[in-house]
Amino acid sequence: TVLFRGVLQDMFRQINSDMDKLVAISEAGASDAATAAAESYSTARWTTFSTLALATIAGFGAIVFSFFGIVRPIGRITSSMGALAGGDTAADIPFAVRRDEIGRMANAVVVFKDNMVRARQLEAEAATVKEQTDRQRRADMQRLADQFHAAVGGIIETVSAASHDMETAAGTLKK
C-alpha cells in the first residue's frame, strides 16, 4: 500500500488527469465534428433541393420549348400539307424562314406547293392547246367537207347537165 500511495498514486493521478484531458479533447472534437456534420448535412440538403429545383425548372423549360418550338410548328406544317393534299394551293406554309430543321421541312413543303402550282399551270396550258387543236381540226374537217362538196357538187352539175343534154339529144333523135 505504501508503494501505491507514493509514486504510483502520483502516476495514477497524472495518468487519470491526462485521460480526463484526452476525454475532454475527444468530447470537444466530437462536438465540433457533430456541428460540422450538421452544417454539412444542411448544406448538402440545401444543395440537393436547389439542384432539384433547377432541374425541375430546366425540365419544364425543355417541355415548353419542345411544345412551342417543335411540336406546334410541325403540327402547323402538317395542317398545311393536308390542305395541299386537298388541292388548296393557296395554303400558307408557315416557318419557311426558319433556319433549322423545322424551316427545312417547311421549305420542302413549299417546293411541293410550287410544283403543284406549276403542274396545274401545265395542265391548264395543255387543256388550252388541246382545245385549240380540236377547234383547228374541226375547222379543217369543215373546210375539207366544203371543198369536197364544192368539187362533187360541180361534178354532179356537169354530169346532170350532160345527162340533160343527152336526154334532149335522145329526144331529138327519137322524133
Side-chain angles (χ1 to χ4, degrees), residues 144-155:
L144 283 173
D146 290 345
Q147 287 175 351
F148 179 76
H149 185 278
V152 169
I155 292 171

Side-chain angles (χ1 to χ4, degrees), residues 46-110:
W46 185 85
T47 302
T48 300
F49 286 136
S50 297
T51 304
L52 182 62
L54 288 174
T56 301
I57 290 169
F60 184 72
I63 290 170
V64 168
F65 171 76
S66 294
F67 179 74
F68 288 108
I70 298 170
V71 174
R72 194 164 145 191
I74 288 176
R76 289 188 55 204
I77 290 172
T78 302
S79 294
S80 297
M81 290 171 65
L84 282 175
D88 181 10
T89 57
D92 180 43
I93 310 300
F95 306 108
V97 295
R98 285 177 58 165
R99 298 190 180 271
D100 58 1
E101 291 81 8
I102 301 295
R104 286 194 291 274
M105 287 173 59
N107 283 322
V109 175
V110 168

Side-chain angles (χ1 to χ4, degrees), residues 5 14 20 42 52 58 74 86 96 157 166 170:
R5 289 188 184 189
Q14 182 63 37
D20 287 341
S42 176
L52 182 62
I74 288 176
E157 282 182 27
M166 284 176 80

